Amino acid sequence: MRRLFILACATSILISCSTSSKVGSTTILEPEKDHLTFDGIPTFESNLVWSQDGRYEAFTDMIKFKGKWYISFRDSYSHVWEEDGTAQGHIIVIASDDGASWEKVSELSEPGIDLRDPKMSITADGRLMLLMGGSKYGNIAVTKECFERLSRVSLSSDGKTFTAPVRIQLDNVTGQDWLWQVNWARRKGYGFIKVGQFTLVSTTDGVKYRTVREFDNEPIAGDETCVRFLPDGTMLTLSRRDKSKGESSWWGVSKPPYKDWTFKGIPMSLGGPCFIIVDNSYCIIGTRWRKTGQMVILKGDLEGNVTPACILESKGGGDCSYPGMVIEGNELWVSYYSRHEGSKPSIYLTKIPLNYFDSLK
């Protein structure tokens, strides 16, 4: 890690922000490779865990809470729209005692609002938190415009009964504020606004958030961002980059209070990125490979250097990914969605031995 920051000081672009309490520095390192390839990489099989005829099941997350496994996902007629031209995605939560047999424990909806990308975490007070994008569209027969985006949150103490979704509260609301994912460290939750001003925010209760750092007009300003932490509080992030800005993504590193950042480019455009840290020594990344539209897994170090690891069963064409990832014993469990067994996507689970990743460079 020390070598990374020495290199950053010597060769990178340093951008300083000067906006009131958002003061901080950003160091940007370009990718070390021009591209990645998955040619000749093995494919792991998956098990179907949820499917409904005629329904579009997608955008998963997974967590273990009070001894049970939970997978959350969006249920709709299509990627956005219902048959009647409205956008009103529901969120379904399924649970399992063994990872083999699953049952629906909750379904959340809000009239006139499209709920999507449900992300789960465990709050500082031990509750299961479900964070969702909340968007208000017109009818597709008239317009595709999204009039408002503001994330919703729902909480559960037992994994069965969830509170009705409520709007998150921000200290700077623009009307286009999609908080994509939150993770917790030292009794605070942190996440990045995906749509609107790319901003790091924090919370103590999952509902009210304050600004930690804004990233104004910087190359890394962004998109879907996964957040994780090392034991010393160092925040690691993985951000999708809008495809109009190039075929790359960003690996971020920052220490408390998370004002100063180093971002390193990853030579691959990520769709629905997720990663998990293994033994505080390396990470495993799940995402969509834009070249073929397949669901893929990468191995990376903690400095943002990655190598292709494997492919998960998927049809290709881009309608897959958005994984959830949990380590259980000596296995990595990955939930994701794919349509390789039907005209519409369903929810799948893959289990990969961790020693497979140990064998990779």
Side-chain angles (χ1 to χ4, degrees):
M1 185 68 73
R2 181 179 300 171
R3 186 175 64 181
L4 171 67
F5 284 99
I6 293 174
L7 179 63
C9 294
T11 64
S12 64
I13 302 171
L14 183 64
I15 302 174
S16 296
C17 300
S18 58
T19 54
S20 63
S21 63
K22 288 80 174 178
V23 173
S25 65
T26 304
T27 302
I28 299 176
L29 305 174
E30 293 300 321
E32 294 182 357
K33 296 181 179 180
D34 293 332
H35 65 280
L36 298 174
T37 178
F38 285 80
D39 295 342
I41 298 297
T43 297
F44 279 81
E45 295 182 352
S46 301
N47 293 317
L48 176 70
V49 298
W50 191 264
S51 181
Q52 295 186 95
D53 289 341
R55 302 299 292 173
Y56 186 99
E57 318 285 6
F59 318 122
T60 82
D61 196 20
M62 181 169 54
I63 199 168
K64 192 173 187 180
F65 177 69
K66 294 187 175 180
K68 279 181 172 284
W69 297 95
Y70 292 85
I71 295 177
S72 58
F73 54 91
R74 177 180 181 268
D75 169 82
S76 183
Y77 178 72
S78 70
H79 189 88
V80 178
W81 309 100
E82 297 289 343
E83 286 186 280
D84 63 2
T86 62
Q88 299 189 79
H90 295 191
I91 301 303
I92 290 179
V93 181
I94 59 176
S96 175
D97 291 319
D98 57 8
S101 177
W102 296 82
E103 64 175 352
K104 183 167 72 173
V105 294
S106 187
E107 183 168 355
L108 295 88
S109 62
E110 183 177 342
I113 299 297
D114 179 42
L115 300 177
R116 65 193 304 123
D117 287 21
K119 301 297 179 185
M120 294 182 290
S121 62
I122 299 175
T123 63
D125 62 4
R127 290 180 292 172
L128 180 59
M129 175 176 141
L130 189 60
L131 178 71
M132 304 153 278
S135 301
K136 185 176 182 179
Y137 289 87
N139 192 291
I140 194 174
V142 179
T143 179
K144 291 185 178 181
E145 182 179 356
C146 182
F147 298 103
E148 178 186 85
R149 289 186 178 92
L150 187 61
S151 295
R152 269 63 169 173
V153 66
S154 175
L155 297 163
S156 175
S157 297
D158 59 7
K160 296 179 180 179
T161 303
F162 287 80
T163 60
V166 297
R167 295 183 175 193
I168 63 170
Q169 299 174 28
L170 301 169
D171 56 12
N172 181 24
V173 179
T174 69
Q176 295 290 328
D177 307 290
W178 187 346
L179 176 61
W180 195 67
Q181 184 249 12
V182 165
N183 205 354
W184 297 74
R186 302 182 180 185
R187 302 195 66 81
K188 284 188 177 181
Y190 293 86
F192 283 80
I193 301 295
K194 158 185 160 68
V195 175
Q197 174 67 55
F198 190 59
T199 304
L200 173 64
V201 297
S202 68
T203 182
T204 57
D205 63 5
V207 178
K208 299 177 182 178
Y209 294 80
R210 69 171 185 86
T211 298
V212 177
R213 167 76 197 276
E214 289 182 350
F215 297 81
D216 295 311
N217 301 317
E218 297 180 22
I220 51 85
D223 214 309
E224 301 162 346
T225 300
C226 182
V227 176
R228 305 293 184 205
F229 294 92
L230 295 175
D232 67 356
T234 298
M235 188 187 302
L236 304 178
T237 64
L238 181 63
S239 297
R240 173 180 178 175
R241 191 184 195 191
D242 186 279
K243 63 182 179 180
S244 66
K245 298 178 182 178
E247 291 294 311
S248 65
S249 304
W250 295 106
W251 180 260
V253 180
S254 181
K255 293 184 178 295
Y258 311 122
K259 299 288 188 179
D260 301 321
W261 283 82
T262 293
F263 288 95
K264 181 172 183 177
I266 294 176
M268 175 179 174
S269 182
L270 307 175
C274 179
F275 74 97
I276 194 166
I277 301 168
V278 183
D279 296 331
N280 299 314
S281 61
Y282 69 92
C283 65
I284 301 174
I285 297 169
T287 187
R288 178 175 60 245
W289 185 23
R290 189 180 296 279
K291 182 178 179 181
T292 64
Q294 291 175 293
M295 174 68 203
V296 299
I297 302 293
L298 304 94
K299 180 182 178 181
D301 61 24
L302 303 185
E303 299 177 358
N305 303 299
V306 301
T307 185
C310 61
I311 299 171
L312 304 189
E313 277 191 299
S314 46
K315 186 176 182 178
D319 205 2
C320 63
S321 184
Y322 289 78
M325 307 176 77
V326 182
I327 292 175
E328 173 67 5
N330 61 359
E331 292 182 320
L332 171 72
W333 290 19
V334 185
S335 67
Y336 68 105
Y337 84 95
S338 176
R339 58 183 178 89
H340 61 275
E341 292 185 319
S343 61
K344 291 190 176 182
S346 300
I347 308 302
Y348 292 86
L349 177 65
T350 296
K351 300 177 182 180
I352 305 173
L354 284 177
N355 60 16
Y356 171 77
F357 297 98
D358 294 336
S359 67
L360 302 176
K361 293 182 180 181

